[in-house]
Short mmCIF file of all heavy atoms in Angstrom, two decimals:
data_model
loop_
_atom_site.label_atom_id
_atom_site.label_comp_id
_atom_site.label_asym_id
_atom_site.label_seq_id
_atom_site.Cartn_x
_atom_site.Cartn_y
_atom_site.Cartn_z
N GLN B 31 107.70 86.67 150.40
CA GLN B 31 107.67 87.24 149.06
C GLN B 31 108.90 88.10 148.79
O GLN B 31 109.16 88.49 147.69
CB GLN B 31 106.43 88.13 148.90
CG GLN B 31 105.14 87.34 148.94
CD GLN B 31 103.96 88.29 148.85
OE1 GLN B 31 103.98 89.36 149.46
NE2 GLN B 31 102.96 87.90 148.10
N ASN B 32 109.61 88.39 149.86
CA ASN B 32 110.73 89.32 149.74
C ASN B 32 111.97 88.66 150.34
O ASN B 32 112.69 89.24 151.11
CB ASN B 32 110.37 90.60 150.49
CG ASN B 32 111.44 91.66 150.36
OD1 ASN B 32 112.09 91.75 149.33
ND2 ASN B 32 111.63 92.43 151.40
N ALA B 33 112.17 87.40 149.98
CA ALA B 33 113.13 86.58 150.70
C ALA B 33 114.57 87.06 150.57
O ALA B 33 115.42 86.64 151.32
CB ALA B 33 113.03 85.14 150.22
N ARG B 34 114.86 87.95 149.63
CA ARG B 34 116.24 88.40 149.49
C ARG B 34 116.53 89.66 150.30
O ARG B 34 117.65 90.14 150.33
CB ARG B 34 116.56 88.64 148.01
CG ARG B 34 116.73 87.33 147.25
CD ARG B 34 117.30 87.57 145.88
NE ARG B 34 116.43 88.40 145.08
CZ ARG B 34 116.74 88.89 143.89
NH1 ARG B 34 117.92 88.63 143.36
NH2 ARG B 34 115.91 89.62 143.21
N HIS B 35 115.52 90.20 150.96
CA HIS B 35 115.73 91.39 151.78
C HIS B 35 116.50 90.99 153.04
O HIS B 35 116.11 90.06 153.73
CB HIS B 35 114.39 92.00 152.17
CG HIS B 35 114.55 93.28 152.92
ND1 HIS B 35 114.52 94.51 152.31
CD2 HIS B 35 114.78 93.52 154.23
CE1 HIS B 35 114.69 95.45 153.22
NE2 HIS B 35 114.86 94.87 154.38
N VAL B 36 117.59 91.68 153.31
CA VAL B 36 118.40 91.35 154.47
C VAL B 36 118.17 92.42 155.53
O VAL B 36 118.48 93.58 155.32
CB VAL B 36 119.89 91.28 154.11
CG1 VAL B 36 120.73 91.02 155.35
CG2 VAL B 36 120.12 90.19 153.07
N SER B 37 117.61 92.01 156.65
CA SER B 37 117.35 92.96 157.72
C SER B 37 118.62 93.19 158.53
O SER B 37 119.44 92.31 158.69
CB SER B 37 116.25 92.43 158.64
OG SER B 37 115.95 93.41 159.59
N ARG B 38 118.76 94.37 159.06
CA ARG B 38 119.98 94.70 159.80
C ARG B 38 119.66 95.46 161.08
O ARG B 38 120.56 95.91 161.76
CB ARG B 38 120.89 95.54 158.91
CG ARG B 38 120.19 96.78 158.41
CD ARG B 38 120.93 97.58 157.39
NE ARG B 38 120.15 98.75 157.03
CZ ARG B 38 120.59 99.75 156.28
NH1 ARG B 38 121.80 99.71 155.80
NH2 ARG B 38 119.83 100.77 156.01
N THR B 39 118.40 95.66 161.37
CA THR B 39 118.01 96.48 162.51
C THR B 39 117.41 95.61 163.61
O THR B 39 116.56 94.77 163.35
CB THR B 39 116.99 97.54 162.08
OG1 THR B 39 117.51 98.26 160.97
CG2 THR B 39 116.70 98.51 163.20
N TYR B 40 117.87 95.83 164.83
CA TYR B 40 117.44 95.03 165.97
C TYR B 40 116.91 95.95 167.08
O TYR B 40 117.45 97.03 167.28
CB TYR B 40 118.61 94.21 166.52
CG TYR B 40 119.22 93.28 165.51
CD1 TYR B 40 120.18 93.74 164.62
CD2 TYR B 40 118.82 91.96 165.42
CE1 TYR B 40 120.73 92.88 163.66
CE2 TYR B 40 119.35 91.10 164.48
CZ TYR B 40 120.31 91.58 163.60
OH TYR B 40 120.85 90.74 162.66
N SER B 41 115.90 95.49 167.74
CA SER B 41 115.34 96.24 168.87
C SER B 41 115.49 95.38 170.12
O SER B 41 115.11 94.20 170.11
CB SER B 41 113.87 96.55 168.59
OG SER B 41 113.28 97.12 169.73
N THR B 42 116.02 95.96 171.16
CA THR B 42 116.25 95.21 172.41
C THR B 42 115.82 96.05 173.59
O THR B 42 116.31 97.16 173.75
CB THR B 42 117.76 94.90 172.59
OG1 THR B 42 118.27 94.33 171.39
CG2 THR B 42 117.99 93.96 173.76
N SER B 43 114.90 95.54 174.38
CA SER B 43 114.58 96.26 175.62
C SER B 43 114.88 95.33 176.80
O SER B 43 114.67 94.12 176.72
CB SER B 43 113.13 96.74 175.65
OG SER B 43 112.24 95.69 175.69
N PHE B 44 115.40 95.93 177.85
CA PHE B 44 115.79 95.14 179.02
C PHE B 44 115.61 95.95 180.29
O PHE B 44 115.36 97.17 180.25
CB PHE B 44 117.24 94.65 178.88
CG PHE B 44 118.26 95.74 178.71
CD1 PHE B 44 118.86 96.34 179.81
CD2 PHE B 44 118.60 96.21 177.44
CE1 PHE B 44 119.79 97.36 179.66
CE2 PHE B 44 119.53 97.22 177.28
CZ PHE B 44 120.13 97.80 178.38
N THR B 45 115.70 95.23 181.40
CA THR B 45 115.56 95.89 182.69
C THR B 45 116.68 95.43 183.62
O THR B 45 117.36 94.44 183.33
CB THR B 45 114.19 95.55 183.32
OG1 THR B 45 114.05 96.26 184.55
CG2 THR B 45 114.05 94.06 183.60
N PHE B 46 116.86 96.14 184.69
CA PHE B 46 117.66 95.66 185.82
C PHE B 46 116.68 95.56 186.98
O PHE B 46 115.97 96.53 187.27
CB PHE B 46 118.78 96.63 186.17
CG PHE B 46 119.80 96.81 185.08
CD1 PHE B 46 119.79 97.95 184.29
CD2 PHE B 46 120.77 95.85 184.84
CE1 PHE B 46 120.73 98.14 183.29
CE2 PHE B 46 121.72 96.03 183.84
CZ PHE B 46 121.69 97.16 183.05
N ASP B 47 116.62 94.40 187.62
CA ASP B 47 115.59 94.21 188.65
C ASP B 47 115.85 95.02 189.92
O ASP B 47 114.93 95.23 190.71
CB ASP B 47 115.45 92.73 188.97
CG ASP B 47 114.74 92.00 187.84
OD1 ASP B 47 113.86 92.62 187.21
OD2 ASP B 47 115.08 90.85 187.57
N VAL B 48 117.08 95.39 190.13
CA VAL B 48 117.37 96.26 191.28
C VAL B 48 118.14 97.47 190.77
O VAL B 48 118.47 97.55 189.59
CB VAL B 48 118.19 95.52 192.36
CG1 VAL B 48 117.39 94.36 192.94
CG2 VAL B 48 119.50 95.01 191.79
N ARG B 49 118.43 98.38 191.66
CA ARG B 49 119.11 99.61 191.26
C ARG B 49 120.42 99.28 190.53
O ARG B 49 121.07 98.26 190.80
CB ARG B 49 119.41 100.48 192.48
CG ARG B 49 120.34 99.84 193.47
CD ARG B 49 120.69 100.76 194.61
NE ARG B 49 121.63 101.79 194.19
CZ ARG B 49 122.95 101.62 194.13
NH1 ARG B 49 123.49 100.47 194.47
NH2 ARG B 49 123.73 102.60 193.76
N VAL B 50 120.80 100.15 189.63
CA VAL B 50 122.04 99.93 188.90
C VAL B 50 123.01 101.07 189.24
O VAL B 50 122.58 102.20 189.52
CB VAL B 50 121.75 99.88 187.38
CG1 VAL B 50 121.23 101.21 186.85
CG2 VAL B 50 122.99 99.47 186.59
N ALA B 51 124.29 100.73 189.27
CA ALA B 51 125.30 101.75 189.58
C ALA B 51 125.42 102.70 188.39
O ALA B 51 125.87 102.32 187.31
CB ALA B 51 126.64 101.07 189.87
N TRP B 52 125.00 103.92 188.59
CA TRP B 52 124.88 104.89 187.51
C TRP B 52 126.23 105.17 186.84
O TRP B 52 126.35 105.20 185.62
CB TRP B 52 124.25 106.17 188.05
CG TRP B 52 124.33 107.38 187.17
CD1 TRP B 52 124.80 108.59 187.52
CD2 TRP B 52 123.90 107.50 185.80
NE1 TRP B 52 124.69 109.47 186.45
CE2 TRP B 52 124.16 108.81 185.39
CE3 TRP B 52 123.36 106.61 184.88
CZ2 TRP B 52 123.87 109.27 184.11
CZ3 TRP B 52 123.07 107.06 183.60
CH2 TRP B 52 123.33 108.38 183.23
N ARG B 53 127.27 105.34 187.65
CA ARG B 53 128.57 105.67 187.07
C ARG B 53 129.07 104.51 186.18
O ARG B 53 129.61 104.71 185.10
CB ARG B 53 129.57 105.98 188.18
CG ARG B 53 130.86 106.59 187.66
CD ARG B 53 131.74 107.09 188.77
NE ARG B 53 131.14 108.22 189.47
CZ ARG B 53 131.72 108.87 190.45
NH1 ARG B 53 132.90 108.49 190.88
NH2 ARG B 53 131.12 109.89 191.03
N ALA B 54 128.87 103.29 186.68
CA ALA B 54 129.30 102.12 185.89
C ALA B 54 128.52 102.02 184.60
O ALA B 54 129.07 101.73 183.53
CB ALA B 54 129.12 100.85 186.72
N PHE B 55 127.22 102.29 184.67
CA PHE B 55 126.41 102.24 183.46
C PHE B 55 126.90 103.30 182.46
O PHE B 55 126.99 103.04 181.26
CB PHE B 55 124.93 102.46 183.77
CG PHE B 55 124.05 102.28 182.54
CD1 PHE B 55 123.57 101.02 182.22
CD2 PHE B 55 123.74 103.35 181.73
CE1 PHE B 55 122.80 100.84 181.07
CE2 PHE B 55 122.97 103.18 180.59
CZ PHE B 55 122.50 101.92 180.26
N GLY B 56 127.23 104.46 182.99
CA GLY B 56 127.73 105.52 182.12
C GLY B 56 129.01 105.13 181.41
O GLY B 56 129.21 105.44 180.23
N ILE B 57 129.89 104.42 182.13
CA ILE B 57 131.14 103.96 181.51
C ILE B 57 130.84 102.96 180.40
O ILE B 57 131.36 103.04 179.29
CB ILE B 57 132.07 103.33 182.59
CG1 ILE B 57 132.57 104.41 183.55
CG2 ILE B 57 133.25 102.61 181.93
CD1 ILE B 57 133.24 103.86 184.80
N TRP B 58 129.95 102.00 180.71
CA TRP B 58 129.59 101.01 179.69
C TRP B 58 128.99 101.69 178.46
O TRP B 58 129.36 101.39 177.32
CB TRP B 58 128.56 100.02 180.28
CG TRP B 58 128.00 99.10 179.25
CD1 TRP B 58 128.57 97.95 178.78
CD2 TRP B 58 126.78 99.26 178.51
NE1 TRP B 58 127.77 97.40 177.79
CE2 TRP B 58 126.68 98.18 177.61
CE3 TRP B 58 125.77 100.23 178.52
CZ2 TRP B 58 125.59 98.02 176.74
CZ3 TRP B 58 124.69 100.07 177.66
CH2 TRP B 58 124.62 98.99 176.79
N PHE B 59 128.09 102.62 178.70
CA PHE B 59 127.40 103.30 177.60
C PHE B 59 128.39 104.10 176.75
O PHE B 59 128.36 104.09 175.53
CB PHE B 59 126.30 104.19 178.19
CG PHE B 59 125.35 104.75 177.18
CD1 PHE B 59 124.91 103.99 176.11
CD2 PHE B 59 124.86 106.04 177.31
CE1 PHE B 59 124.01 104.50 175.18
CE2 PHE B 59 123.96 106.57 176.40
CZ PHE B 59 123.54 105.79 175.33
N SER B 60 129.32 104.79 177.43
CA SER B 60 130.33 105.57 176.70
C SER B 60 131.20 104.67 175.85
O SER B 60 131.54 105.00 174.70
CB SER B 60 131.23 106.34 177.68
OG SER B 60 130.46 107.24 178.42
N MET B 61 131.57 103.52 176.41
CA MET B 61 132.41 102.58 175.65
C MET B 61 131.65 102.04 174.44
O MET B 61 132.21 101.88 173.36
CB MET B 61 132.88 101.45 176.56
CG MET B 61 133.90 101.88 177.59
SD MET B 61 134.37 100.56 178.73
CE MET B 61 135.40 99.55 177.67
N LEU B 62 130.38 101.74 174.66
CA LEU B 62 129.58 101.24 173.54
C LEU B 62 129.50 102.28 172.42
O LEU B 62 129.70 101.96 171.24
CB LEU B 62 128.16 100.89 174.03
CG LEU B 62 127.20 100.44 172.94
CD1 LEU B 62 127.60 99.07 172.38
CD2 LEU B 62 125.76 100.36 173.48
N LEU B 63 129.24 103.52 172.80
CA LEU B 63 129.13 104.57 171.78
C LEU B 63 130.46 104.83 171.09
O LEU B 63 130.51 105.10 169.89
CB LEU B 63 128.60 105.87 172.40
CG LEU B 63 127.15 105.83 172.88
CD1 LEU B 63 126.76 107.18 173.46
CD2 LEU B 63 126.20 105.45 171.77
N SER B 64 131.54 104.72 171.88
CA SER B 64 132.85 104.93 171.30
C SER B 64 133.17 103.85 170.26
O SER B 64 133.71 104.12 169.19
CB SER B 64 133.89 104.93 172.42
OG SER B 64 135.18 105.04 171.88
N ALA B 65 132.79 102.61 170.60
CA ALA B 65 133.12 101.50 169.70
C ALA B 65 132.12 101.35 168.55
O ALA B 65 132.50 101.03 167.44
CB ALA B 65 133.18 100.19 170.50
N ARG B 66 130.84 101.58 168.85
CA ARG B 66 129.80 101.25 167.86
C ARG B 66 128.72 102.31 167.74
O ARG B 66 127.58 102.00 167.39
CB ARG B 66 129.13 99.91 168.27
CG ARG B 66 130.07 98.73 168.39
CD ARG B 66 130.69 98.34 167.06
NE ARG B 66 129.68 98.03 166.06
CZ ARG B 66 129.11 96.83 165.91
NH1 ARG B 66 129.47 95.84 166.70
NH2 ARG B 66 128.19 96.63 164.98
N GLY B 67 129.07 103.57 168.02
CA GLY B 67 128.06 104.63 168.07
C GLY B 67 127.21 104.75 166.82
O GLY B 67 126.01 104.97 166.89
N GLU B 68 127.83 104.57 165.65
CA GLU B 68 127.07 104.69 164.40
C GLU B 68 125.96 103.65 164.31
O GLU B 68 124.96 103.85 163.62
CB GLU B 68 128.00 104.54 163.19
CG GLU B 68 128.81 105.78 162.87
CD GLU B 68 127.93 106.99 162.53
OE1 GLU B 68 127.08 106.85 161.66
OE2 GLU B 68 128.13 108.05 163.14
N ASP B 69 126.19 102.52 164.98
CA ASP B 69 125.22 101.41 164.90
C ASP B 69 124.22 101.41 166.06
O ASP B 69 123.34 100.56 166.11
CB ASP B 69 125.97 100.07 164.86
CG ASP B 69 126.76 99.92 163.57
OD1 ASP B 69 126.33 100.48 162.55
OD2 ASP B 69 127.81 99.26 163.60
N VAL B 70 124.39 102.34 166.99
CA VAL B 70 123.38 102.51 168.04
C VAL B 70 122.42 103.56 167.51
O VAL B 70 122.60 104.76 167.70
CB VAL B 70 124.02 102.94 169.38
CG1 VAL B 70 122.94 103.16 170.44
CG2 VAL B 70 125.00 101.88 169.86
N LEU B 71 121.40 103.12 166.81
CA LEU B 71 120.54 104.06 166.09
C LEU B 71 119.75 104.93 167.05
O LEU B 71 119.54 106.11 166.79
CB LEU B 71 119.59 103.30 165.16
CG LEU B 71 120.25 102.44 164.08
CD1 LEU B 71 119.21 101.77 163.21
CD2 LEU B 71 121.21 103.27 163.23
N ARG B 72 119.31 104.36 168.14
CA ARG B 72 118.47 105.12 169.06
C ARG B 72 118.46 104.42 170.42
O ARG B 72 118.46 103.19 170.48
CB ARG B 72 117.04 105.19 168.51
CG ARG B 72 116.16 106.25 169.12
CD ARG B 72 114.89 106.36 168.29
NE ARG B 72 115.11 107.11 167.07
CZ ARG B 72 114.92 108.41 166.95
NH1 ARG B 72 114.51 109.12 167.98
NH2 ARG B 72 115.14 109.03 165.81
N VAL B 73 118.47 105.18 171.48
CA VAL B 73 118.36 104.60 172.82
C VAL B 73 117.50 105.51 173.68
O VAL B 73 117.51 106.73 173.53
CB VAL B 73 119.76 104.40 173.46
CG1 VAL B 73 120.50 105.72 173.59
CG2 VAL B 73 119.64 103.76 174.83
N LYS B 74 116.71 104.86 174.52
CA LYS B 74 115.88 105.63 175.45
C LYS B 74 115.68 104.77 176.69
O LYS B 74 115.45 103.57 176.58
CB LYS B 74 114.52 105.92 174.80
CG LYS B 74 113.54 106.68 175.68
CD LYS B 74 112.22 106.82 174.97
CE LYS B 74 111.15 107.37 175.88
NZ LYS B 74 109.82 107.36 175.24
N GLY B 75 115.78 105.36 177.85
CA GLY B 75 115.60 104.55 179.04
C GLY B 75 115.44 105.33 180.32
O GLY B 75 115.82 106.51 180.40
N LEU B 76 114.87 104.66 181.29
CA LEU B 76 114.75 105.18 182.65
C LEU B 76 115.56 104.25 183.53
O LEU B 76 115.34 103.05 183.54
CB LEU B 76 113.30 105.13 183.11
CG LEU B 76 112.42 106.35 182.93
CD1 LEU B 76 111.02 106.04 183.44
CD2 LEU B 76 112.98 107.57 183.63
N LEU B 77 116.51 104.81 184.27
CA LEU B 77 117.38 104.00 185.11
C LEU B 77 117.11 104.27 186.58
O LEU B 77 117.13 105.44 187.00
CB LEU B 77 118.84 104.32 184.82
CG LEU B 77 119.49 103.72 183.58
CD1 LEU B 77 120.90 104.28 183.44
CD2 LEU B 77 119.52 102.22 183.68
N ASN B 78 116.89 103.19 187.33
CA ASN B 78 116.76 103.31 188.77
C ASN B 78 118.16 103.30 189.36
O ASN B 78 118.86 102.29 189.29
CB ASN B 78 115.95 102.13 189.31
CG ASN B 78 115.77 102.20 190.81
OD1 ASN B 78 116.49 102.91 191.50
ND2 ASN B 78 114.80 101.46 191.32
N ILE B 79 118.60 104.42 189.91
CA ILE B 79 119.96 104.49 190.46
C ILE B 79 119.93 104.57 191.99
O ILE B 79 120.84 105.10 192.62
CB ILE B 79 120.77 105.65 189.84
CG1 ILE B 79 120.08 107.01 190.06
CG2 ILE B 79 120.97 105.42 188.36
CD1 ILE B 79 120.97 108.20 189.68
N GLY B 80 118.86 104.04 192.55
CA GLY B 80 118.78 103.93 194.01
C GLY B 80 118.40 105.22 194.68
O GLY B 80 117.54 105.96 194.19
N ALA B 81 119.08 105.52 195.79
CA ALA B 81 118.71 106.68 196.60
C ALA B 81 118.77 107.98 195.81
O ALA B 81 118.05 108.94 196.11
CB ALA B 81 119.62 106.77 197.82
N ALA B 82 119.60 108.00 194.78
CA ALA B 82 119.73 109.22 193.98
C ALA B 82 118.56 109.41 193.02
O ALA B 82 118.49 110.41 192.32
CB ALA B 82 121.05 109.20 193.21
N GLY B 83 117.66 108.44 192.97
CA GLY B 83 116.46 108.61 192.16
C GLY B 83 116.50 107.88 190.84
O GLY B 83 116.92 106.72 190.77
N LEU B 84 116.07 108.57 189.80
CA LEU B 84 116.06 107.93 188.49
C LEU B 84 116.62 108.89 187.45
O LEU B 84 116.58 110.11 187.62
CB LEU B 84 114.66 107.46 188.10
CG LEU B 84 113.61 108.50 187.76
CD1 LEU B 84 112.51 107.85 186.94
CD2 LEU B 84 113.01 109.08 189.02
N VAL B 85 117.13 108.29 186.39
CA VAL B 85 117.77 109.07 185.34
C VAL B 85 117.13 108.70 184.01
O VAL B 85 116.95 107.52 183.71
CB VAL B 85 119.28 108.78 185.28
CG1 VAL B 85 119.93 109.51 184.11
CG2 VAL B 85 119.95 109.19 186.57
N LEU B 86 116.79 109.72 183.23
CA LEU B 86 116.26 109.51 181.89
C LEU B 86 117.41 109.70 180.90
O LEU B 86 118.06 110.75 180.90
CB LEU B 86 115.14 110.51 181.60
CG LEU B 86 114.59 110.56 180.18
CD1 LEU B 86 113.88 109.25 179.84
CD2 LEU B 86 113.62 111.73 180.03
N ILE B 87 117.65 108.68 180.09
CA ILE B 87 118.69 108.81 179.06
C ILE B 87 118.05 108.68 177.68
O ILE B 87 117.09 107.92 177.49
CB ILE B 87 119.81 107.75 179.21
CG1 ILE B 87 119.24 106.33 179.16
CG2 ILE B 87 120.59 107.95 180.48
CD1 ILE B 87 120.31 105.25 179.02
N LYS B 88 118.58 109.42 176.72
CA LYS B 88 118.10 109.27 175.35
C LYS B 88 119.17 109.76 174.39
O LYS B 88 119.94 110.68 174.71
CB LYS B 88 116.78 110.01 175.13
CG LYS B 88 116.76 111.46 175.55
CD LYS B 88 115.34 112.00 175.48
CE LYS B 88 115.31 113.48 175.83
NZ LYS B 88 113.96 114.06 175.83
N GLY B 89 119.23 109.11 173.25
CA GLY B 89 120.24 109.49 172.27
C GLY B 89 119.94 108.89 170.91
O GLY B 89 119.17 107.95 170.78
N VAL B 90 120.56 109.49 169.91
CA VAL B 90 120.48 109.00 168.54
C VAL B 90 121.89 108.92 168.00
O VAL B 90 122.58 109.94 167.91
CB VAL B 90 119.62 109.93 167.65
CG1 VAL B 90 119.60 109.44 166.21
CG2 VAL B 90 118.21 110.04 168.19
N GLN B 91 122.36 107.72 167.71
CA GLN B 91 123.72 107.46 167.26
C GLN B 91 124.70 108.14 168.23
O GLN B 91 124.61 107.91 169.43
CB GLN B 91 123.88 107.88 165.80
CG GLN B 91 123.04 106.96 164.88
CD GLN B 91 123.22 107.22 163.43
OE1 GLN B 91 123.03 108.33 162.98
NE2 GLN B 91 123.57 106.19 162.67
N HIS B 92 125.60 108.97 167.74
CA HIS B 92 126.60 109.54 168.65
C HIS B 92 126.06 110.71 169.47
O HIS B 92 126.74 111.20 170.37
CB HIS B 92 127.82 110.03 167.85
CG HIS B 92 128.70 108.91 167.38
ND1 HIS B 92 129.45 108.14 168.24
CD2 HIS B 92 128.93 108.41 166.14
CE1 HIS B 92 130.13 107.24 167.56
NE2 HIS B 92 129.82 107.38 166.27
N VAL B 93 124.87 111.16 169.15
CA VAL B 93 124.32 112.32 169.86
C VAL B 93 123.52 111.82 171.07
O VAL B 93 122.47 111.20 170.93
CB VAL B 93 123.40 113.15 168.94
CG1 VAL B 93 122.81 114.32 169.70
CG2 VAL B 93 124.16 113.63 167.72
N VAL B 94 124.05 112.10 172.24
CA VAL B 94 123.37 111.69 173.48
C VAL B 94 123.02 112.94 174.26
O VAL B 94 123.85 113.81 174.47
CB VAL B 94 124.28 110.78 174.33
CG1 VAL B 94 123.58 110.39 175.62
CG2 VAL B 94 124.66 109.53 173.54
N TYR B 95 121.78 113.03 174.66
CA TYR B 95 121.32 114.20 175.42
C TYR B 95 121.80 114.10 176.86
O TYR B 95 122.01 113.00 177.38
CB TYR B 95 119.79 114.28 175.38
CG TYR B 95 119.28 114.70 174.01
CD1 TYR B 95 119.23 113.80 172.96
CD2 TYR B 95 118.87 116.01 173.78
CE1 TYR B 95 118.78 114.19 171.71
CE2 TYR B 95 118.43 116.40 172.54
CZ TYR B 95 118.38 115.49 171.50
OH TYR B 95 117.96 115.87 170.27
N SER B 96 121.96 115.24 177.49
CA SER B 96 122.36 115.24 178.90
C SER B 96 121.33 114.45 179.70
O SER B 96 120.13 114.67 179.54
CB SER B 96 122.40 116.66 179.45
OG SER B 96 123.35 117.41 178.75
N PRO B 97 121.79 113.53 180.53
CA PRO B 97 120.83 112.73 181.31
C PRO B 97 119.99 113.64 182.21
O PRO B 97 120.51 114.58 182.81
CB PRO B 97 121.72 111.82 182.15
CG PRO B 97 123.06 111.84 181.48
CD PRO B 97 123.17 113.17 180.80
N ASP B 98 118.69 113.36 182.27
CA ASP B 98 117.80 114.11 183.15
C ASP B 98 117.63 113.35 184.46
O ASP B 98 117.20 112.19 184.45
CB ASP B 98 116.40 114.25 182.50
CG ASP B 98 116.40 115.29 181.40
OD1 ASP B 98 117.22 116.21 181.46
OD2 ASP B 98 115.57 115.16 180.48
N HIS B 99 117.96 113.97 185.55
CA HIS B 99 117.73 113.35 186.87
C HIS B 99 116.32 113.74 187.30
O HIS B 99 116.05 114.93 187.54
CB HIS B 99 118.78 113.81 187.88
CG HIS B 99 120.14 113.24 187.59
ND1 HIS B 99 120.66 112.16 188.28
CD2 HIS B 99 121.07 113.57 186.66
CE1 HIS B 99 121.86 111.86 187.79
NE2 HIS B 99 122.12 112.70 186.81
N LEU B 100 115.43 112.78 187.36
CA LEU B 100 114.03 113.06 187.64
C LEU B 100 113.74 112.86 189.13
O LEU B 100 114.40 112.08 189.82
CB LEU B 100 113.13 112.14 186.80
CG LEU B 100 113.38 112.16 185.29
CD1 LEU B 100 112.42 111.21 184.58
CD2 LEU B 100 113.24 113.56 184.73
N LYS B 101 112.70 113.55 189.59
CA LYS B 101 112.40 113.50 191.03
C LYS B 101 111.48 112.33 191.38
O LYS B 101 111.56 111.78 192.46
CB LYS B 101 111.75 114.82 191.46
CG LYS B 101 112.76 115.95 191.51
CD LYS B 101 112.12 117.24 191.96
CE LYS B 101 113.18 118.36 192.01
NZ LYS B 101 112.58 119.67 192.21
N GLY B 102 110.60 111.97 190.46
CA GLY B 102 109.65 110.91 190.79
C GLY B 102 109.43 109.97 189.63
O GLY B 102 109.70 110.31 188.48
#
Side-chain angles (χ1 to χ4, degrees):
Chain B
Q31 293 177 320
N32 183 34
R34 286 191 299 172
H35 184 95
V36 177
S37 184
R38 57 188 181 171
T39 307
Y40 301 84
S41 173
T42 310
S43 66
F44 58 89
T45 183
F46 296 103
D47 286 326
V48 297
R49 63 176 286 276
V50 65
W52 167 233
R53 191 170 294 182
F55 185 88
I57 292 168
W58 172 83
F59 191 39
S60 298
M61 290 176 74
L62 176 69
L63 292 181
S64 176
R66 302 294 302 274
E68 281 299 308
D69 293 330
V70 178
L71 300 182
R72 197 169 282 268
V73 60
K74 178 184 171 187
L76 267 179
L77 281 175
N78 180 342
I79 58 170
L84 71 159
V85 175
L86 173 65
I87 58 168
K88 52 189 183 182
V90 177
Q91 293 185 304
H92 285 292
V93 179
V94 179
Y95 288 77
S96 298
D98 284 333
H99 289 259
L100 306 180
K101 287 181 179 170

